[in-house]
Structures are given as structure tokens and as C-alpha cells.
Amino acid sequence: MRNNVWQAGVKVLIAAATLGVATSISTVAHAETPYKVEGTSVDKATFNGWKLYKRQRCETCHGPTAEGGAAFPSLVAALKNMSAEDFKATVLNGRNNMPAFKGNKAVVDGIDGLYAYLKGRSDGAIPPGELQELP
Ligand code: HEC
């Protein structure tokens, strides 16, 4: 009886380890970009990120192409060295003259897409201007 329980435990551990390996392999396979882009068409989450960028006033300060201006940093430049976690923390908590967005439900819910959009701009993969949603 005890032996069976122990064996079951080992099986669970092996299954978990296998799953872990499978997950890291698929993560590597998808690690390239958090967005999909074909020309001016992007995946749904990224498309929503673009809309948030315009509607939630990011654009007002960081500019329509996200390249910043006199008093505002270029997000195209910033995201070359900024992790997704740092990006989210900065946007949600604010920093100096950067307002906090943690009270803004649309931004909180869409933060991954916002990051994906700006990462795509930073990578030079997503062009500035109008986008469409991939079918
Ligand atoms: C009122 C103007 C304003 C708005 C609106 C604004 N930002 Fe900012 N943002 C700033 C300023 C100013 C900084 C520089 C903060 C500092 O000096 O530490 C900044 C910094 C940042 C940074 C860090 C850049 C770096 O170089 O480290 C990110 C990322 C960022 N903003 C994203 C956003 C996003 C996404 C939005 C919209 C949801 C947004 N910002 C809206 C003014 C703004």
C-alpha cells in the first residue's frame, strides 16, 4: 500500500518534470516576440495595445511614433533594454513625471498587449501609424 502511494508520487513527479521540459521547449520556440505582425496587421492583443497607446494618452507624451520628445523618453529606445516586468511596473506605478496607470482598468487588463505593441515598435517590426487586426 505504502509502496503504491510512493510509486504514484514518483509518477506525478516524472509527469511534472516532463511537463516542465515540454513547457520550456515551447517557451524557447515562442520566445522570439510577444507579438505577431504581417505588414500592418497584428494579433488581437497587440492591436488592442496599439489602441490603448492612443486612447490612454501614452501618445500625448511619448509621441505618435513612440519615439518621445523633449521631456519624454523614447519608448522605441527604452524597450530595447527594458524587461517586460520593468515596463509593467513603470506603467502601473508611474515614475517621476510618468503618471501611474494602476487605477486604469483598460491599461491594467491590456498591459501585455501594450507591451507587445511597444516591443514591436522598438524591434522595428511594427510600423508607426494605422494597424489592422490579423484575421
Ligand atoms: C503625462 C505624460 C505621460 C503619459 C500620459 C505617459 N507617460 Fe510614460 N513617461 C513620461 C515621463 C515624463 C517619463 C520619464 C519618467 C522618469 O523621468 O523617470 C515616462 C517614462 C515611461 C517609461 C520608462 C521609459 C524609460 O526610459 O525608462 C515607459 C515604459 C512609459 N513611460 C510608458 C508609458 C505608457 C505605456 C503610457 C500610456 C499607458 C505612458 N507612458 C503615458 C510621461 C508620460
Side-chain angles (χ1 to χ4, degrees):
M1 181 56 191
R2 267 200 187 181
N3 205 21
N4 281 346
V5 171
W6 186 81
Q7 278 182 346
V10 169
K11 277 182 192 156
V12 169
L13 280 180
I14 291 171
T18 312
L19 200 67
V21 170
T23 309
S24 34
I25 289 170
S26 71
T27 309
V28 169
H30 294 286
E32 323 88 61
T33 64
Y35 51 83
K36 285 198 184 72
V37 57
E38 289 170 21
T40 56
S41 297
V42 294
D43 64 278
K44 188 182 177 71
T46 304
F47 184 72
N48 186 51
W50 169 63
K51 286 194 288 190
L52 287 172
Y53 183 77
K54 295 192 299 177
R55 289 184 189 159
Q56 303 298 327
R57 301 179 306 121
C58 313
E59 184 179 70
T60 315
C61 290
H62 294 284
T65 66
E67 288 165 305
F72 304 108
S74 164
L75 301 181
V76 169
L79 266 67
K80 293 193 195 304
N81 303 307
M82 195 176 214
S83 69
E85 287 68 32
D86 284 350
F87 170 84
K88 291 178 194 178
T90 305
V91 174
L92 297 179
N93 301 324
R95 208 178 70 199
N96 300 315
N97 291 331
M98 163 73 191
F101 281 85
K102 64 183 162 209
N104 182 321
K105 186 168 163 28
V107 172
V108 172
D109 290 350
I111 191 97
D112 288 331
L114 197 44
Y115 173 75
Y117 168 64
L118 290 167
K119 187 66 182 163
R121 287 284 306 117
S122 179
D123 289 347
I126 298 178
E130 294 291 308
L131 296 178
Q132 292 81 39
E133 192 178 329
L134 279 167

